[in-house]
């Protein structure tokens, strides 16, 4: 795995998201309501909007511009207008570091 440090665990609060860039890839790091950390492509597939500026609700992140929600574990849209998924990247927690592998997306 070619994971690299995206942020610290404490940099992303429960129910929030943070935009980072790794190897030229915009990544949305999210901590869901259960405390699990996820990493997805940061760009909404409907409108080229940063998902990190959206709203985290349970197991999804919602694009603030048009309301499409994306599942945190699969990247699949849960509703229109988006119909294409965003990539999901492997996350490893190493101490206080959140490591993300953008070279080997899960989806």
């Amino acid at each position: 795995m070619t994971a690299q440090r995206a942020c610290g665990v404490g940099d992303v609060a429960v129910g929030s998201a943070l935009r980072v860039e790794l190897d030229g890839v915009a990544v949305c790091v999210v901590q869901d309501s259960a405390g699990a950390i996820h990493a997805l492509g940061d760009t909404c597939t409907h409108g080229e909007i940063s998902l990190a500026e959206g709203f985290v609700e349970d197991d999804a992140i919602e694009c603030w511009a048009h309301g499409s929600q994306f599942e945190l574990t699969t990247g699949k849209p849960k509703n229109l207008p988006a119909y294409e998924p965003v990539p999901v990247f492997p996350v490893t927690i190493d101490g206080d570091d959140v490591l993300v592998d953008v070279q080997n997306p899960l989806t």
Side-chain angles (χ1 to χ4, degrees), residues 16-76:
S16 69
L18 174 71
R19 183 186 188 280
V20 298
E21 191 167 313
L22 302 170
D23 290 340
V25 177
V27 177
C28 178
V29 179
V30 180
Q31 187 169 170
D32 66 21
S33 59
I37 296 180
H38 307 270
L40 306 115
D42 184 54
T43 307
C44 176
T45 57
H46 170 255
E48 300 290 318
I49 304 292
S50 171
L51 291 177
E53 296 175 13
F55 313 100
V56 179
E57 295 182 17
D58 299 322
D59 65 344
I61 188 160
E62 181 178 324
C63 177
W64 65 267
H66 300 107
S68 288
Q69 293 182 337
F70 296 87
E71 293 179 4
L72 298 176
T73 56
T74 66
K76 293 179 181 177

Side-chain angles (χ1 to χ4, degrees), residues 86-100:
V86 294
V88 175
F89 305 108
V91 173
T92 304
I93 306 301
D94 183 14
D96 190 40
D97 294 330
V98 176
L99 307 177
V100 177

